[in-house]
Amino acid sequence: MRAYRLAAANVPDAEKAFFVADLSVVYAQHERWKRCLPQVEPFYAVKCNPDPYVLRLLAALGTGFDCASNGEINEVLKLGIDPSRIIFANPCKAASFVRGAAKAGVDLMTFDNADELHKVARAHPGARLVVRILTDDSKSVCRLGIKFGAPLASVPGLLATARALGLDVVGVSFHVGSGCYDAHAFVDAVARARAAFDMGREAGYVFSVLDVGGGFEDGNFEETAGVLGGALDLYFPEREGVRVIAEPGRFYVARAFSLAVNIIARRAGDGGEMDADQPAVMYYINDGVYGAFNCILFDHQRVQPYVLSLGGSFHVPEAAMERAERCSVWGPTCDSIDCVCAEVRLPGALQVGDWLGFEGMGAYTICAASGFNGFEVSAVVYTCGGGPGAAEVRAVLAGFAARVDCR
Ligand SMILES: *Cc1c(COP(=O)(O)O)cnc(C)c1O
């Protein structure tokens, strides 16, 4: 509303799109993790959303961090995190990055091929390696198995190579794929990890780390946690000194961020040229697929706007929503691929200057947004929320001496 008033008063840039990050949601997700999966230590996947306040909060809550590059490792180390709380979970790393990790004291890292073992033997012989195995990722929105993961049949050969190179292999990791909608993918994956543990013993290693990766969804988390917990009990009954870790990304942040965008242009009923199949009203907003909505292209997300203001009023009458019609929503760039919603039901009477909101915009959005065509990446406004956890979040961030807006 403040942005609307400022824009109405011609304050420059007041109509810019912006994220609202509710850090108490991240806090609540961590509580939920501890409640449902107390036996699994989360290592937050930094790539999902490297927001500095999210990282600070999770650092204070005691999670570990899954980093994929030296850039991410440095970001995390800057928070004062001990390097032992980092896993370098990229199975294919540049040699310079492996040397960088060695220098920083980051020892735990994944591999899935023999070339990587030779690289690590040269660049970081003291590394503690985790073999990333291939699992069935067919029940996930973003399948990672086409790029990473050693087939089980190749694991004995890899372990023999590691032994010959004098390397220490300490465990097994997998990733069922990002956006995993079938909890049972974890059962198959844990079973395979068990087989890989047995291969480790035959190769003369004593494995002590099981890394169950990411792929956790907000919507079915309790179910997934139950299924995973059952699989762990089944295949690792006594745990046998095995530390179980995970690399959740999306689960922690997806729901914590929402995005407010401004309608900067509108096109409706411009005559007979338009295709009759196309929605009659086209709204143009000031963030698009080159920005926050890159998640539509890269992460296969579907986004759903809701009306924040209608004709300048933030009290949107129910009746207006009932009169919703087929509309399309477009990003601000000059590219026609920049379509946010090809068809969505919205009031046709929204005006230039009105605001739309999008919820669940925290995962794989800001981190991959570009400034294509001269449009800036939308800024983030922070809140500690009003609900449970707000006080704790405030205290934690005050500890970091962070300047955070906590209303
Ligand atoms: C991307 C990624 C994750 C996080 O996945 P989510 O689906 O966001 O939980 C975890 N581990 C690795 C190795 C990844 O590449």
Side-chain angles (χ1 to χ4, degrees), residues 40-395:
V40 182
E41 294 173 52
F43 280 56
Y44 173 67
V46 174
K47 79 164 187 284
C48 182
N49 185 339
D51 178 273
Y53 294 105
V54 169
L55 296 183
R56 286 173 190 200
L57 176 59
L58 291 174
L61 295 176
T63 72
F65 294 91
D66 155 6
C67 300
S69 63
N70 275 16
E72 289 183 354
I73 288 175
N74 292 337
E75 246 354 88
V76 171
L77 290 176
K78 266 200 325 215
L79 303 175
I81 294 293
D82 193 88
S84 67
R85 277 169 68 189
I86 296 176
I87 179 165
F88 197 169
N90 184 344
C92 299
K93 304 166 280 299
S96 63
F97 280 18
V98 181
R99 277 193 296 276
K103 213 164 146 201
V106 174
D107 297 334
L108 198 59
M109 54 183 66
T110 60
F111 75 101
D112 65 0
N113 65 82
D115 289 49
E116 192 75 4
L117 288 172
H118 289 282
K119 189 191 297 165
V120 172
R122 280 192 303 275
H124 191 358
R128 297 167 60 239
L129 287 156
V130 172
V131 59
R132 165 117 167 232
I133 58 168
L134 188 61
T135 58
D136 177 11
D137 61 0
S138 61
K139 306 286 161 44
S140 297
V141 180
C142 304
R143 302 179 68 171
L144 299 168
I146 51 170
K147 186 169 179 189
F148 297 119
L152 265 190
S154 72
V155 169
L158 289 173
L159 295 179
T161 304
R163 271 231 95 85
L165 291 167
L167 290 169
D168 191 15
V169 183
V170 299
V172 178
S173 78
F174 59 75
H175 196 304
V176 294
S178 198
C180 182
Y181 50 84
D182 182 1
H184 295 275
F186 279 96
V187 179
D188 173 69
V190 173
R192 292 191 205 204
R194 173 74 257 176
F197 262 70
D198 296 339
M199 292 167 179
R201 202 179 46 231
E202 269 153 44
Y205 286 113
V206 182
F207 286 174
S208 57
V209 176
L210 171 61
D211 175 357
V212 299
F216 301 90
E217 287 271 303
D218 181 60
N220 67 356
F221 181 68
E222 276 70 18
E223 186 200 353
T224 303
V227 170
L228 172 59
L232 291 173
D233 289 343
L234 181 63
Y235 292 104
F236 294 84
E238 308 297 334
R239 298 285 192 277
E240 306 148 49
V242 176
R243 177 180 183 205
V244 185
I245 68 173
E247 302 163 352
R250 187 187 305 278
F251 169 76
Y252 270 91
V253 289
R255 213 156 36 76
F257 287 62
S258 26
L259 179 69
V261 302
N262 193 254
I263 295 174
I264 55 170
R266 175 180 184 273
R267 210 141 69 108
D270 284 358
E273 291 293 305
M274 281 163 104
D275 189 335
D277 287 346
Q278 298 298 316
V281 184
M282 300 169 75
Y283 292 118
Y284 297 74
I285 59 176
N286 52 358
D287 203 339
V289 303
Y290 285 95
F293 294 106
N294 72 81
C295 60
I296 295 170
L297 298 183
F298 294 142
D299 195 40
H300 314 289
Q301 287 185 36
R302 289 198 185 169
V303 297
Q304 177 69 38
Y306 63 98
V307 178
L308 281 170
S309 76
L310 174 68
S313 166
F314 286 84
H315 297 284
V316 182
E318 290 270 328
M321 292 310 298
E322 280 159 15
R323 282 198 306 273
E325 51 191 287
R326 287 168 62 223
C327 301
S328 57
V329 179
W330 302 80
T333 68
C334 295
D335 191 346
S336 62
I337 200 178
D338 196 356
C339 178
V340 174
C341 301
E343 185 174 332
V344 64
R345 296 195 78 80
L346 285 172
L350 292 168
Q351 298 300 316
V352 169
D354 274 328
W355 290 84
L356 295 176
F358 293 83
E359 286 179 343
M361 290 290 291
Y364 306 107
T365 50
I366 306 169
C367 47
S370 79
F372 175 63
N373 235 185
F375 295 98
E376 287 168 32
V377 177
S378 299
V380 184
V381 177
Y382 296 90
T383 152
C384 297
E392 288 88 342
V393 172
R394 213 168 293 148

